[in-house]
Amino acid sequence: MTEAAELPPAPEQAREVFGDRFADAVRYAELLAETGVQRGLIGPREVPRLWERHLLNCAVLSEVVPESVTVCDVGSGAGLPGIPLALVRDDLKITLLEPLLRRTNFLTEVVELLGLDHVTVVRGRAEEVMGKLPPVHVVTARAVAPLDRLATWGIPLLRPYGEMLALKGDTAEEELKSAATALTKLGAVQTSILHVGEGVVDPMSTVVRVEVGESPGGVRFAAKRAKAARTGRTRRRR
């Protein structure tokens, strides 16, 4: 059996980024390194770089999330970027959306252990919860799918004039170009590539921002959203 990799000490930048929640960030890192690896949520090779590549890389997303908004973290997995974002921003109302039971069990345990009262865990796929969950201001995602496919899941969950923030790597510009037509059909009105985390992570985190107009998801999803809303009202009356 391969010996488990050891979690390195938290870098000084983590104290600055997580502030009063630093101890909780350390506990979350320990859970990822232990329980997360045991349950197959992250690979053991990721443990030595958990802080830089995962926790801090996700936490700096807070630089571009507006104040006091609702957020849905699509395909949250082990809680990235949703939980680091929650640790640095208690003004947000965050939903961690994840279809796999073993992952939602882990997420629920983490949320309860860390006392993240502003975070809710929901098991389901994005396409299944549309109309069942209230539309949000911001959708976040990391390492879920190529941008064109991710957009079909995430954008329909947005409120009018909301935005999707996708953490991407070196392929961000290429993905954005290839997804341009699909994004337009989904109601996107503006796209941009942002770099966040200067002085915290190196290289800085790359974020693709997709802003939508008054009809998130475009015409294709307008009927689905209306039907889901009608179905929800009917169920509540019964």
Side-chain angles (χ1 to χ4, degrees):
M1 180 181 291
T2 304
E3 187 176 344
E6 185 176 346
L7 177 69
E12 192 59 36
Q13 295 94 320
R15 292 183 180 275
E16 298 172 9
V17 170
F18 290 104
D20 293 342
R21 284 283 198 172
F22 172 70
D24 290 326
V26 171
R27 186 66 188 118
Y28 176 49
E30 292 170 346
L31 288 167
L32 287 174
E34 299 163 7
T35 309
V37 171
Q38 292 166 6
R39 298 187 191 179
L41 302 181
I42 66 163
R45 293 182 180 179
E46 296 302 312
V47 173
R49 51 187 185 179
L50 263 179
W51 283 105
E52 289 81 1
R53 185 180 175 89
H54 298 287
L55 274 75
L56 289 172
N57 176 273
C58 291
V60 295
L61 182 63
S62 65
E63 294 178 16
V64 290
V65 177
E67 291 185 9
S68 303
V69 297
T70 52
V71 178
C72 182
D73 189 31
V74 172
S76 196
L80 301 164
I83 288 178
L85 183 61
L87 287 171
V88 297
R89 295 285 300 276
D90 60 6
D91 60 303
L92 305 175
K93 296 292 185 183
I94 300 176
T95 298
L96 306 179
L97 181 62
E98 168 57 47
L100 296 184
L101 179 60
R102 63 188 171 90
R103 293 177 180 171
T104 54
N105 285 343
F106 175 78
L107 293 173
T108 299
E109 292 166 15
V110 171
V111 167
E112 291 177 353
L113 181 65
L114 301 185
L116 298 174
D117 298 333
H118 56 306
V119 178
T120 302
V121 178
V122 174
R123 184 185 177 197
R125 300 183 184 279
E127 57 269 34
E128 297 169 347
V129 302
M130 186 180 64
K132 299 177 183 177
L133 293 180
V136 297
H137 297 93
V138 177
V139 162
T140 59
R142 177 179 186 259
V144 174
L147 188 61
D148 55 351
R149 200 185 324 156
L150 173 63
T152 64
W153 301 333
I155 288 180
L157 300 177
L158 289 170
R159 293 168 51 132
Y161 307 104
E163 59 186 323
M164 183 175 72
L165 299 172
L167 280 162
K168 291 287 183 180
D170 297 336
T171 62
E173 190 170 343
E174 181 182 334
E175 285 191 49
L176 190 52
K177 286 180 180 177
S178 63
T181 300
L183 292 174
T184 299
K185 289 181 179 177
L186 287 165
V189 295
Q190 187 169 335
T191 61
S192 54
I193 295 178
L194 312 172
H195 299 283
V196 296
E198 184 175 7
V200 178
V201 288
D202 185 19
M204 290 191 291
S205 300
T206 302
V207 181
V208 175
R209 171 186 269 162
V210 179
E211 300 171 71
V212 300
E214 61 183 13
S215 183
V219 177
R220 176 184 168 193
F221 286 93
K224 287 186 178 181
R225 190 180 294 105
K227 181 179 179 181
R230 288 196 301 272
T231 301
R233 287 196 296 270
T234 299
R235 287 174 178 167
R236 285 193 292 271
R237 285 198 295 266
R238 287 177 180 172

